[in-house]
Amino acid sequence: MGEEFGGVSTRKRQNVVLVTGASGFIGTELVKQLEAAGNRVICTSREPSGGGSPYVRLPYTDEPASAFENILENVDHVVHLAAIHHAKRAVSAEEYYAANCLLTGRLATAAHKKISGKFVFTSSIRAQCGSVFDGVLRESDPPQPTDDYGRAKLAAEVEIAAAMPRRNYTILRPVLVYGPNATGNLAKLTRLAALPIPLPLKSLPGKRSLLDLGALCAAIFHSLQEPKTDGETFIVADNSPLRLGEIVAAMRRGMGHSPRLFSVPEAFLSIAAKMTAQTDRKQRLYKDLVASSAKLQSTGWEAVDDSMRRIEEVSTTVTSAQRAISSLAARYPFLLLPRDFR
């Protein structure tokens, strides 16, 4: 409660933050953190639902500019998470471009006109590279996306920079995000870890940078407040990259099981991969995708140092339903290996 002096209230006005993609894996946690910090959150959806934070309808890309401006009325900041990520069907390049680039550009244009605060965009590490990279990836490395998803994300970054000449935006490129109820490749890896059988993952040498969900939400909140992030693009990652076997071992320890991993010669895995038409997938598991978040850390954001321990902690929340094992998974666990680490 604010005090009153001379009939004027000193109560501080709540910041109003519009969050797109608020019902997703990242958005659900972000909304909780923003509200806990005293912000008023407005969520967007194509089908607004009742209960919880207020919802507004997210316009389609072919709607007039006024439709986007209207949802930003009295909004201070925008966090744009909505995108096509882990589609359950084939997605064309045009669909990726419309959902992940055109929509972003329309929203950024409206934000330039309507908001006084920040526009924070969660892009992806795939806007900068493919599923593997030689060396340590940094923002200074030229962007070279290798798929339609990454190309659309990179195009969206360009749209934002063009639409917001005041540079009141921040672009974040997170690596693979882990946390409770993770989706996509992490969900597949969790199911693999839940199998009650030894797995031949101990000797796989490929390292991957990962990102804690809470740390990503903290990076978004940091970007809303920190002027040093204005007009900049940042890789977001934990400090300690892990091998696939280390990730699965941490998950299993968190589930209360021993790691139960063993090594096999690469030649044997090559034969198994060839027999199951998984040669490309196997090759990716032998290469790295290590990214540095030093640039973002230099502005005051703190990265997770011990990813293995954090994954172990997160894995204690895996539900019994998530641990359920299908007969196919038990018979062919190699088929559950994620195609890559997006």
Side-chain angles (χ1 to χ4, degrees):
M1 296 292 291
E3 299 181 24
E4 292 192 1
F5 293 90
V8 178
S9 175
T10 62
R11 181 185 299 173
K12 186 177 180 180
R13 175 183 173 274
Q14 281 184 307
N15 280 321
V16 179
V17 185
L18 181 89
V19 179
T20 72
S23 62
F25 167 53
I26 297 170
T28 301
E29 179 62 25
L30 177 65
V31 169
K32 291 179 184 177
Q33 291 198 19
L34 287 173
E35 291 181 334
N39 299 281
R40 179 171 176 261
V41 178
I42 299 175
C43 305
T44 69
S45 173
R46 288 281 159 71
E47 297 180 359
S49 59
S53 302
Y55 271 81
V56 296
R57 188 183 69 83
L58 182 64
Y60 288 90
T61 55
D62 58 356
E63 293 188 47
S66 59
F68 290 88
E69 293 170 8
N70 288 341
I71 67 172
L72 298 181
E73 199 67 44
N74 298 317
V75 167
D76 299 298
H77 307 289
V78 174
V79 178
H80 185 38
L81 301 172
I84 296 177
H85 295 286
H86 308 290
K88 296 181 179 179
R89 60 174 178 82
V91 178
S92 68
E94 291 75 17
E95 288 176 294
Y96 272 126
Y97 186 75
N100 295 356
C101 176
L102 291 183
L103 180 65
T104 303
R106 298 297 307 280
L107 190 60
T109 300
H112 170 65
K113 184 175 181 180
K114 299 292 291 187
I115 71 171
S116 59
K118 290 289 292 286
F119 184 99
V120 177
F121 175 55
T122 55
S123 183
S124 169
I125 200 66
R126 295 302 286 269
Q128 192 161 352
C129 69
S131 59
V132 298
F133 185 81
D134 291 331
V136 177
L137 184 67
R138 294 180 174 85
E139 294 86 353
S140 57
D141 292 304
Q144 295 181 325
T146 60
D147 57 16
D148 293 332
Y149 170 81
R151 285 186 283 270
K153 283 288 192 178
L154 182 60
E157 295 179 8
V158 175
E159 290 284 331
I160 292 169
M164 307 190 75
R166 287 186 287 129
R167 293 173 60 84
N168 55 326
Y169 66 84
T170 300
I171 295 169
L172 301 177
R173 292 175 177 167
V175 297
L176 182 67
V177 181
Y178 62 88
N181 303 311
T183 57
N185 285 326
L186 251 298
K188 295 176 182 178
L189 201 57
T190 301
R191 291 194 294 270
L192 181 68
L195 293 171
I197 58 174
L199 293 171
L201 307 178
K202 189 174 182 179
S203 58
L204 294 178
K207 286 188 174 183
R208 290 290 186 276
S209 287
L210 303 173
L211 175 61
D212 173 61
L213 172 60
L216 173 56
C217 292
I220 293 170
F221 189 68
H222 173 74
S223 299
L224 291 174
Q225 298 180 303
E226 178 51 65
K228 293 178 182 177
T229 66
D230 290 0
E232 296 289 343
T233 299
F234 299 96
I235 291 172
V236 196
D238 293 352
N239 283 331
S240 51
L242 299 175
R243 296 180 177 87
L244 180 62
E246 293 173 324
I247 298 171
V248 172
M251 287 179 170
R252 285 185 160 179
R253 285 193 296 269
M255 296 174 189
H257 306 310
S258 61
R260 288 174 297 173
L261 304 179
F262 63 94
S263 301
V264 295
E266 182 179 355
F268 179 84
L269 286 179
S270 297
I271 294 172
K274 187 175 181 179
M275 292 176 63
T276 55
Q278 306 291 331
T279 300
D280 289 343
R281 184 180 300 185
K282 178 261 175 184
Q283 289 176 347
R284 284 192 289 268
L285 292 172
Y286 270 75
K287 296 181 179 180
D288 296 341
L289 179 49
V290 176
S292 170
S293 60
K295 180 183 175 182
L296 182 57
Q297 292 181 57
S298 71
T299 69
W301 173 75
E302 295 184 2
V304 169
D305 282 322
D306 192 343
S307 300
M308 190 178 301
R309 180 177 178 180
R310 183 67 187 125
I311 291 171
E312 187 174 330
E313 294 170 350
V314 167
S315 298
T316 62
T317 65
V318 175
T319 66
S320 58
Q322 289 172 303
R323 299 187 193 189
I325 303 163
S326 69
S327 59
L328 178 63
R331 290 179 62 191
Y332 305 109
F334 188 81
L335 298 180
L336 285 178
L337 287 175
R339 286 185 298 173
D340 55 46
F341 290 90
R342 176 169 293 174

